[in-house]
Amino acid sequence: MKNTFGSNIQYTLFGESHGEAIGIVIDGLPAGIALDLDLMERQMEKRKAKGKISTQRKEADQVKIISGYFNGHTSGTPLTILIENTNVKSQDYARTQMLLRPSHADYSAHVKYRGFEDYRGGGHFSGRLTAPIVAAGSIAMQILQQLGVQIATHIEKLHDLEDVRFGQTIEEVETQIAYLQDRSFPTLDETCGKAMIEKIEACAKQKDSVGGILESAAIHVPAGLGEPFFDSIESILAHLLFSIPAVKGVSFGSGFDFANLYGSEANDAFALKEGKIVTKSNHNGGINGGITNGMPIHLHTVIKATPSIYQEQDSVDLQSGKEAKLTIKGRHDPAILHRAAVVVDSMIAIGLLEALCQQEAGMALIKQMSSNERGMIV
Protein backbone atom coordinates (compact mmCIF):
# COMPACT_ATOMS: atom_id res chain seq x y z
CA MET A 1 0.00 0.00 0.00
CA LYS A 2 1.44 3.36 -1.05
CA ASN A 3 0.23 6.32 0.96
CA THR A 4 2.83 8.98 0.16
CA PHE A 5 2.54 11.93 -2.23
CA GLY A 6 5.18 14.47 -3.28
CA SER A 7 8.78 14.67 -4.39
CA ASN A 8 9.92 17.86 -2.65
CA ILE A 9 7.56 18.02 0.31
CA GLN A 10 6.21 14.53 1.04
CA TYR A 11 2.91 13.68 2.71
CA THR A 12 2.32 10.22 4.19
CA LEU A 13 -1.24 9.44 5.30
CA PHE A 14 -2.01 6.84 7.97
CA GLY A 15 -4.82 5.42 10.12
CA GLU A 16 -8.30 3.93 9.82
CA SER A 17 -11.79 5.27 10.41
CA HIS A 18 -12.31 3.31 13.65
CA GLY A 19 -8.69 2.98 14.73
CA GLU A 20 -7.23 4.87 17.67
CA ALA A 21 -6.11 7.78 15.53
CA ILE A 22 -5.55 9.05 12.01
CA GLY A 23 -2.80 11.36 10.83
CA ILE A 24 -0.25 12.53 8.31
CA VAL A 25 3.51 13.01 8.26
CA ILE A 26 4.90 15.95 6.29
CA ASP A 27 8.58 15.64 5.39
CA GLY A 28 10.64 18.32 3.67
CA LEU A 29 9.22 21.51 5.17
CA PRO A 30 12.05 24.02 5.62
CA ALA A 31 12.86 24.96 9.21
CA GLY A 32 11.65 28.29 10.60
CA ILE A 33 8.22 28.59 8.98
CA ALA A 34 5.71 30.08 11.44
CA LEU A 35 2.45 28.11 11.48
CA ASP A 36 -0.94 29.75 11.90
CA LEU A 37 -2.75 27.19 14.05
CA ASP A 38 -5.89 29.36 14.09
CA LEU A 39 -6.10 29.02 10.31
CA MET A 40 -5.72 25.26 10.68
CA GLU A 41 -8.57 25.20 13.20
CA ARG A 42 -10.83 27.25 10.91
CA GLN A 43 -10.18 24.88 8.03
CA MET A 44 -10.88 21.85 10.22
CA GLU A 45 -14.15 23.45 11.36
CA LYS A 46 -15.34 23.69 7.72
CA ARG A 47 -14.99 19.93 7.34
CA LYS A 48 -16.87 19.00 10.52
CA ALA A 49 -20.27 17.32 10.41
CA LYS A 50 -23.08 19.74 11.26
CA GLY A 51 -26.84 19.47 11.57
CA LYS A 52 -29.22 17.18 9.69
CA ILE A 53 -27.28 17.44 6.40
CA SER A 54 -24.26 15.52 7.75
CA THR A 55 -23.47 12.31 9.58
CA GLN A 56 -24.35 12.22 13.28
CA ARG A 57 -20.85 10.99 14.04
CA LYS A 58 -19.43 14.09 15.72
CA GLU A 59 -15.65 14.12 16.11
CA ALA A 60 -13.72 16.83 17.94
CA ASP A 61 -10.96 16.62 15.31
CA GLN A 62 -8.47 18.13 17.72
CA VAL A 63 -5.19 18.39 15.82
CA LYS A 64 -2.03 17.42 17.69
CA ILE A 65 1.35 18.20 16.16
CA ILE A 66 3.67 15.74 17.86
CA SER A 67 6.93 16.34 15.95
CA GLY A 68 8.62 18.78 13.61
CA TYR A 69 7.20 21.86 15.33
CA PHE A 70 8.91 23.81 18.13
CA ASN A 71 8.46 27.29 19.57
CA GLY A 72 5.85 28.21 16.98
CA HIS A 73 7.92 27.24 13.94
CA THR A 74 8.73 24.21 11.84
CA SER A 75 11.96 22.61 13.04
CA GLY A 76 12.95 21.03 9.71
CA THR A 77 12.32 17.43 10.82
CA PRO A 78 9.23 15.42 9.77
CA LEU A 79 6.09 17.16 11.01
CA THR A 80 3.58 14.62 12.36
CA ILE A 81 -0.10 15.46 12.75
CA LEU A 82 -2.27 13.21 14.90
CA ILE A 83 -6.08 13.29 15.21
CA GLU A 84 -7.73 10.90 17.66
CA ASN A 85 -10.92 9.01 16.81
CA THR A 86 -13.14 9.61 19.83
CA ASN A 87 -16.65 8.70 18.63
CA VAL A 88 -16.68 5.27 17.00
CA LYS A 89 -19.39 2.59 16.98
CA SER A 90 -17.68 -0.42 15.45
CA GLN A 91 -20.55 -2.72 16.43
CA ASP A 92 -22.63 -1.12 13.66
CA TYR A 93 -20.37 -2.88 11.14
CA ALA A 94 -19.91 -6.25 12.83
CA ARG A 95 -23.30 -7.64 11.78
CA THR A 96 -22.80 -6.90 8.08
CA GLN A 97 -19.03 -7.24 7.73
CA MET A 98 -19.34 -10.07 5.15
CA LEU A 99 -22.03 -8.29 3.11
CA LEU A 100 -20.63 -6.15 0.32
CA ARG A 101 -21.89 -2.57 0.44
CA PRO A 102 -22.77 -1.28 -3.06
CA SER A 103 -20.32 1.29 -4.49
CA HIS A 104 -18.02 0.94 -1.46
CA ALA A 105 -14.47 -0.43 -1.48
CA ASP A 106 -15.49 -3.55 0.47
CA TYR A 107 -15.03 -6.04 -2.38
CA SER A 108 -11.97 -4.47 -4.04
CA ALA A 109 -10.24 -4.08 -0.65
CA HIS A 110 -11.12 -7.66 0.31
CA VAL A 111 -9.50 -8.95 -2.88
CA LYS A 112 -6.41 -6.73 -2.64
CA TYR A 113 -5.70 -7.35 1.05
CA ARG A 114 -6.89 -10.97 1.15
CA GLY A 115 -9.41 -10.42 3.95
CA PHE A 116 -7.02 -8.69 6.36
CA GLU A 117 -8.41 -5.19 5.70
CA ASP A 118 -10.00 -3.17 8.50
CA TYR A 119 -13.67 -3.08 7.44
CA ARG A 120 -14.92 -0.89 10.31
CA GLY A 121 -16.34 2.34 8.92
CA GLY A 122 -14.53 1.74 5.66
CA GLY A 123 -11.15 1.52 7.38
CA HIS A 124 -8.40 3.28 5.44
CA PHE A 125 -10.79 3.95 2.54
CA SER A 126 -13.06 6.15 4.64
CA GLY A 127 -13.65 9.85 4.10
CA ARG A 128 -12.53 10.13 7.73
CA LEU A 129 -8.98 10.16 6.34
CA THR A 130 -9.62 13.56 4.78
CA ALA A 131 -9.35 15.19 8.23
CA PRO A 132 -5.51 15.03 8.35
CA ILE A 133 -5.43 16.08 4.68
CA VAL A 134 -7.25 19.30 5.64
CA ALA A 135 -4.78 19.89 8.48
CA ALA A 136 -1.81 19.36 6.15
CA GLY A 137 -3.47 21.41 3.42
CA SER A 138 -3.84 24.36 5.79
CA ILE A 139 -0.05 24.43 6.14
CA ALA A 140 0.43 24.40 2.37
CA MET A 141 -2.27 27.05 2.06
CA GLN A 142 -0.68 29.49 4.48
CA ILE A 143 2.66 29.19 2.67
CA LEU A 144 0.90 29.98 -0.61
CA GLN A 145 -1.04 32.84 0.97
CA GLN A 146 2.23 34.53 1.84
CA LEU A 147 2.92 34.52 -1.91
CA GLY A 148 -0.52 36.02 -2.57
CA VAL A 149 -2.21 32.83 -3.78
CA GLN A 150 -5.87 32.45 -2.77
CA ILE A 151 -7.99 29.29 -3.16
CA ALA A 152 -11.71 28.65 -2.70
CA THR A 153 -14.36 26.10 -3.62
CA HIS A 154 -18.15 26.28 -3.77
CA ILE A 155 -20.97 23.89 -4.63
CA GLU A 156 -21.52 24.52 -8.34
CA LYS A 157 -24.32 21.97 -8.61
CA LEU A 158 -26.24 19.70 -6.25
CA HIS A 159 -28.38 17.29 -8.26
CA ASP A 160 -30.58 19.66 -10.29
CA LEU A 161 -29.79 22.86 -8.34
CA GLU A 162 -27.08 25.18 -9.71
CA ASP A 163 -25.17 27.98 -7.99
CA VAL A 164 -23.63 31.07 -9.58
CA ARG A 165 -20.29 30.30 -11.30
CA PHE A 166 -16.92 31.87 -10.61
CA GLY A 167 -16.16 34.89 -12.80
CA GLN A 168 -13.62 35.01 -15.62
CA THR A 169 -11.39 37.83 -14.37
CA ILE A 170 -9.02 37.89 -11.41
CA GLU A 171 -10.96 40.80 -9.88
CA GLU A 172 -14.30 38.98 -10.05
CA VAL A 173 -12.91 35.80 -8.55
CA GLU A 174 -11.08 37.70 -5.80
CA THR A 175 -14.37 39.20 -4.62
CA GLN A 176 -16.11 35.81 -4.73
CA ILE A 177 -13.31 34.09 -2.80
CA ALA A 178 -13.52 36.73 -0.08
CA TYR A 179 -17.28 36.12 0.16
CA LEU A 180 -16.83 32.36 0.55
CA GLN A 181 -14.35 32.57 3.41
CA ASP A 182 -17.00 32.92 6.11
CA ARG A 183 -19.73 30.83 4.52
CA SER A 184 -20.70 27.79 6.61
CA PHE A 185 -22.44 26.31 3.56
CA PRO A 186 -20.25 27.07 0.52
CA THR A 187 -22.42 28.66 -2.15
CA LEU A 188 -22.09 32.03 -3.87
CA ASP A 189 -25.87 32.54 -3.92
CA GLU A 190 -27.44 32.36 -0.46
CA THR A 191 -30.92 31.52 -1.77
CA CYS A 192 -29.52 28.63 -3.79
CA GLY A 193 -27.65 27.44 -0.71
CA LYS A 194 -30.88 27.27 1.30
CA ALA A 195 -32.56 25.27 -1.48
CA MET A 196 -29.61 22.85 -1.53
CA ILE A 197 -29.84 22.32 2.24
CA GLU A 198 -33.56 21.56 1.89
CA LYS A 199 -32.76 19.09 -0.90
CA ILE A 200 -30.20 17.27 1.27
CA GLU A 201 -32.64 17.09 4.20
CA ALA A 202 -35.34 15.70 1.90
CA CYS A 203 -32.96 12.99 0.66
CA ALA A 204 -32.12 12.05 4.23
CA LYS A 205 -35.82 11.60 5.04
CA GLN A 206 -36.12 9.29 2.02
CA LYS A 207 -33.15 7.23 3.28
CA ASP A 208 -31.25 8.34 0.19
CA SER A 209 -28.26 10.56 -0.67
CA VAL A 210 -27.29 13.15 -3.28
CA GLY A 211 -24.14 14.23 -5.15
CA GLY A 212 -23.04 17.08 -7.37
CA ILE A 213 -20.18 19.21 -8.64
CA LEU A 214 -17.73 21.47 -6.81
CA GLU A 215 -16.14 24.42 -8.61
CA SER A 216 -12.75 25.68 -7.45
CA ALA A 217 -10.62 28.69 -8.23
CA ALA A 218 -7.06 29.68 -7.40
CA ILE A 219 -5.89 33.23 -8.12
CA HIS A 220 -2.52 34.99 -8.18
CA VAL A 221 -0.84 31.70 -9.05
CA PRO A 222 2.47 32.59 -10.73
CA ALA A 223 2.74 31.88 -14.44
CA GLY A 224 5.20 29.14 -15.37
CA LEU A 225 4.31 26.43 -12.81
CA GLY A 226 4.07 22.86 -14.03
CA GLU A 227 5.81 20.67 -16.56
CA PRO A 228 4.75 19.35 -19.97
CA PHE A 229 3.16 15.90 -20.01
CA PHE A 230 3.61 13.84 -16.82
CA ASP A 231 3.92 16.64 -14.24
CA SER A 232 1.52 19.12 -15.79
CA ILE A 233 -0.52 21.19 -13.37
CA GLU A 234 -3.58 19.21 -14.48
CA SER A 235 -1.75 15.93 -13.80
CA ILE A 236 -0.66 16.96 -10.31
CA LEU A 237 -4.03 18.36 -9.24
CA ALA A 238 -6.06 15.53 -10.78
CA HIS A 239 -3.80 12.99 -9.04
CA LEU A 240 -4.60 14.56 -5.69
CA LEU A 241 -8.29 15.22 -6.32
CA PHE A 242 -8.96 11.67 -7.46
CA SER A 243 -7.45 10.54 -4.15
CA ILE A 244 -10.45 12.01 -2.32
CA PRO A 245 -13.10 9.36 -1.64
CA ALA A 246 -16.27 9.85 -3.77
CA VAL A 247 -14.53 11.91 -6.49
CA LYS A 248 -15.45 10.51 -9.90
CA GLY A 249 -14.59 13.34 -12.27
CA VAL A 250 -12.21 16.30 -12.60
CA SER A 251 -12.14 18.86 -15.40
CA PHE A 252 -10.32 22.14 -16.00
CA GLY A 253 -11.67 25.38 -17.42
CA SER A 254 -14.55 24.68 -19.79
CA GLY A 255 -13.81 20.97 -19.43
CA PHE A 256 -16.25 18.74 -21.30
CA ASP A 257 -17.99 21.84 -22.68
CA PHE A 258 -15.05 22.14 -25.08
CA ALA A 259 -16.86 19.44 -27.07
CA ASN A 260 -19.51 22.05 -27.96
CA LEU A 261 -17.13 24.87 -28.94
CA TYR A 262 -15.38 25.80 -32.17
CA GLY A 263 -11.75 26.88 -31.95
CA SER A 264 -12.81 30.47 -32.55
CA GLU A 265 -15.02 30.20 -29.46
CA ALA A 266 -12.70 28.16 -27.24
CA ASN A 267 -9.47 30.11 -27.74
CA ASP A 268 -8.46 32.57 -25.02
CA ALA A 269 -7.22 35.68 -26.81
CA PHE A 270 -4.23 37.47 -25.26
CA ALA A 271 -4.27 41.12 -24.24
CA LEU A 272 -2.32 43.64 -22.17
CA LYS A 273 -3.78 45.00 -18.94
CA GLU A 274 -1.74 47.57 -17.02
CA GLY A 275 1.38 46.25 -18.70
CA LYS A 276 0.63 42.61 -17.81
CA ILE A 277 -0.22 39.83 -20.25
CA VAL A 278 -3.71 38.40 -19.59
CA THR A 279 -6.32 36.50 -21.57
CA LYS A 280 -9.69 37.99 -22.51
CA SER A 281 -11.50 34.78 -21.62
CA ASN A 282 -10.45 31.81 -19.51
CA HIS A 283 -11.80 28.68 -21.15
CA ASN A 284 -8.51 26.89 -20.45
CA GLY A 285 -8.73 27.52 -16.72
CA GLY A 286 -5.43 29.37 -16.35
CA ILE A 287 -3.37 26.54 -17.85
CA ASN A 288 -1.70 26.19 -21.27
CA GLY A 289 0.47 23.22 -22.18
CA GLY A 290 0.26 21.92 -18.62
CA ILE A 291 1.77 25.17 -17.30
CA THR A 292 0.05 28.04 -15.46
CA ASN A 293 -0.41 31.24 -17.45
CA GLY A 294 -1.21 33.58 -14.55
CA MET A 295 -4.99 33.63 -15.03
CA PRO A 296 -7.29 32.10 -12.38
CA ILE A 297 -7.07 28.32 -12.24
CA HIS A 298 -10.60 26.99 -12.67
CA LEU A 299 -11.50 23.35 -12.11
CA HIS A 300 -14.55 21.22 -11.43
CA THR A 301 -14.77 18.12 -9.23
CA VAL A 302 -17.63 15.61 -9.47
CA ILE A 303 -18.68 14.10 -6.14
CA LYS A 304 -20.90 11.03 -6.33
CA ALA A 305 -23.87 10.56 -4.03
CA THR A 306 -22.81 9.02 -0.73
CA PRO A 307 -23.01 5.23 -1.24
CA SER A 308 -24.10 4.59 2.36
CA ILE A 309 -27.90 4.80 2.14
CA TYR A 310 -30.46 3.23 4.47
CA GLN A 311 -32.62 1.62 1.80
CA GLU A 312 -32.51 -2.15 1.30
CA GLN A 313 -30.04 -3.07 -1.46
CA ASP A 314 -28.86 -6.15 -3.33
CA SER A 315 -25.52 -7.59 -2.22
CA VAL A 316 -23.41 -10.72 -1.96
CA ASP A 317 -22.51 -12.51 1.27
CA LEU A 318 -18.78 -13.33 1.18
CA GLN A 319 -19.20 -15.99 3.87
CA SER A 320 -21.96 -17.99 2.20
CA GLY A 321 -21.05 -17.12 -1.37
CA LYS A 322 -24.70 -16.33 -2.10
CA GLU A 323 -26.66 -13.26 -3.11
CA ALA A 324 -28.22 -11.43 -0.17
CA LYS A 325 -30.11 -8.33 0.90
CA LEU A 326 -28.36 -5.54 2.80
CA THR A 327 -29.70 -2.80 5.04
CA ILE A 328 -26.87 -0.80 6.55
CA LYS A 329 -26.63 0.59 10.06
CA GLY A 330 -24.36 3.29 11.39
CA ARG A 331 -24.13 7.05 10.89
CA HIS A 332 -23.72 8.39 7.37
CA ASP A 333 -23.88 11.63 5.38
CA PRO A 334 -26.85 12.21 3.04
CA ALA A 335 -24.42 14.46 1.11
CA ILE A 336 -20.76 15.33 1.47
CA LEU A 337 -20.38 18.21 -1.01
CA HIS A 338 -20.44 20.91 1.65
CA ARG A 339 -17.81 19.08 3.74
CA ALA A 340 -15.71 18.09 0.72
CA ALA A 341 -15.19 21.69 -0.45
CA VAL A 342 -12.43 22.35 2.10
CA VAL A 343 -10.85 18.98 1.28
CA VAL A 344 -10.64 20.01 -2.38
CA ASP A 345 -9.12 23.36 -1.35
CA SER A 346 -6.53 21.48 0.70
CA MET A 347 -5.57 19.16 -2.14
CA ILE A 348 -5.23 22.10 -4.53
CA ALA A 349 -2.95 23.87 -2.04
CA ILE A 350 -0.79 20.75 -1.63
CA GLY A 351 -0.57 20.36 -5.42
CA LEU A 352 0.29 23.99 -6.15
CA LEU A 353 2.95 23.97 -3.44
CA GLU A 354 4.44 20.83 -4.99
CA ALA A 355 4.56 22.54 -8.40
CA LEU A 356 6.14 25.62 -6.85
CA CYS A 357 8.79 23.49 -5.15
CA GLN A 358 9.69 21.90 -8.48
CA GLN A 359 11.13 25.24 -9.45
CA GLU A 360 14.41 26.26 -7.88
CA ALA A 361 13.16 29.85 -7.60
CA GLY A 362 9.99 28.64 -5.91
CA MET A 363 11.84 26.68 -3.26
CA ALA A 364 14.09 29.68 -2.64
CA LEU A 365 10.99 31.84 -2.00
CA ILE A 366 9.67 29.36 0.54
CA LYS A 367 12.97 29.27 2.37
CA GLN A 368 12.98 33.07 2.49
CA MET A 369 9.72 32.89 4.46
CA SER A 370 11.41 31.05 7.29
CA SER A 371 12.62 33.10 10.23
CA ASN A 372 16.14 34.44 10.38
CA GLU A 373 18.76 32.16 11.84
CA ARG A 374 18.86 32.46 15.60
CA GLY A 375 21.17 31.19 18.26
CA MET A 376 23.65 29.83 15.72
CA ILE A 377 27.17 28.99 16.84
CA VAL A 378 29.74 28.76 14.07
Side-chain angles (χ1 to χ4, degrees):
M1 182 181 282
K2 187 176 185 298
N3 296 282
T4 299
F5 171 84
S7 299
N8 299 282
I9 298 175
Q10 293 188 316
Y11 304 81
T12 300
L13 189 65
F14 64 87
E16 292 80 33
S17 178
H18 285 212
E20 289 188 19
I22 52 178
I24 195 165
V25 178
I26 310 173
D27 198 3
L29 284 173
I33 295 178
L35 297 186
D36 184 349
L37 300 186
D38 290 335
L39 171 63
M40 183 181 292
E41 187 174 341
R42 290 196 299 273
Q43 293 297 97
M44 294 296 294
E45 185 65 27
K46 291 178 182 179
R47 188 199 156 277
K48 284 184 179 180
K50 299 181 183 72
K52 297 178 182 178
I53 60 174
S54 302
T55 174
Q56 295 308 298
R57 177 181 176 180
K58 309 297 183 184
E59 289 282 359
D61 282 347
Q62 185 66 45
V63 175
K64 296 180 181 180
I65 302 178
I66 63 173
S67 71
Y69 179 68
F70 184 64
N71 285 337
H73 298 79
T74 56
S75 63
T77 55
L79 188 147
T80 303
I81 291 172
L82 200 64
I83 301 172
E84 293 181 356
N85 292 323
T86 60
N87 187 9
V88 300
K89 290 185 178 180
S90 300
Q91 65 271 20
D92 288 339
Y93 296 88
R95 182 181 63 85
T96 58
Q97 63 174 290
M98 301 307 290
L99 292 174
L100 301 175
R101 294 174 299 166
S103 292
H104 278 276
D106 296 349
Y107 177 63
S108 54
H110 187 79
V111 173
K112 182 175 179 65
Y113 302 114
R114 299 175 290 113
F116 291 101
E117 71 282 353
D118 185 342
Y119 61 84
R120 301 168 303 168
H124 190 68
F125 296 88
S126 171
R128 178 82 187 119
L129 273 292
T130 61
I133 287 171
V134 171
S138 73
I139 295 175
M141 190 172 290
Q142 60 190 269
I143 293 173
L144 293 171
Q145 285 177 347
Q146 292 186 54
L147 300 175
V149 176
Q150 299 177 44
I151 303 167
T153 296
H154 74 108
I155 302 174
E156 175 184 327
K157 183 177 182 179
L158 185 138
H159 201 251
D160 56 350
L161 300 173
E162 296 191 27
D163 191 22
V164 176
R165 299 282 188 90
F166 277 124
Q168 292 283 304
T169 69
I170 295 174
E171 293 77 15
E172 288 175 309
V173 179
E174 194 167 40
T175 300
Q176 290 171 316
I177 287 178
Y179 175 78
L180 285 170
Q181 294 310 307
D182 297 322
R183 300 288 297 166
S184 58
F185 190 86
T187 57
L188 291 167
D189 182 273
E190 187 174 355
T191 302
C192 181
K194 291 179 180 178
M196 287 182 177
I197 290 172
E198 291 174 359
K199 184 89 169 183
I200 296 171
E201 290 177 345
C203 280
K205 289 180 180 178
Q206 295 166 6
K207 300 182 179 181
D208 214 335
S209 63
V210 63
I213 302 173
L214 297 173
E215 183 187 29
S216 304
I219 57 174
H220 304 308
V221 178
L225 297 186
E227 305 292 339
F229 297 99
F230 304 118
D231 278 333
S232 69
I233 284 293
E234 293 105 326
S235 301
I236 294 171
L237 294 180
H239 180 173
L240 287 162
L241 292 171
F242 275 119
S243 300
I244 302 171
V247 169
K248 284 298 183 181
V250 175
S251 68
F252 294 83
S254 293
F256 285 93
D257 288 340
F258 274 119
N260 304 317
L261 301 176
Y262 292 107
S264 56
E265 299 170 311
N267 287 348
D268 298 317
F270 286 103
L272 286 173
K273 185 175 182 180
E274 299 178 355
K276 183 180 179 181
I277 295 177
V278 297
T279 59
K280 292 185 177 181
S281 57
N282 195 23
H283 292 295
N284 288 278
I287 304 167
N288 295 129
I291 300 169
T292 57
N293 64 16
M295 293 297 289
I297 292 179
H298 272 169
L299 59 90
H300 312 267
T301 307
V302 178
I303 307 288
K304 71 177 183 179
T306 316
S308 294
I309 60 175
Y310 294 102
Q311 297 178 15
E312 184 180 78
Q313 300 177 83
D314 293 330
S315 182
V316 168
D317 188 322
L318 288 174
Q319 190 168 33
S320 68
K322 296 179 181 180
E323 292 184 351
K325 296 293 184 180
L326 168 68
T327 303
I328 67 166
K329 301 293 183 182
R331 301 161 295 175
H332 308 285
D333 295 89
I336 60 170
L337 284 158
H338 52 294
R339 300 180 65 197
V342 69
V343 183
V344 169
D345 285 343
S346 301
M347 287 297 203
I348 292 172
I350 289 169
L352 291 179
L353 184 60
E354 172 68 12
L356 187 67
C357 290
Q358 286 179 351
Q359 294 190 333
E360 187 176 342
M363 182 57 87
L365 274 173
I366 294 170
K367 288 184 177 178
Q368 284 177 16
M369 295 177 194
S370 61
S371 300
N372 294 330
E373 297 168 349
R374 52 182 176 178
M376 286 196 65
I377 301 174
V378 295

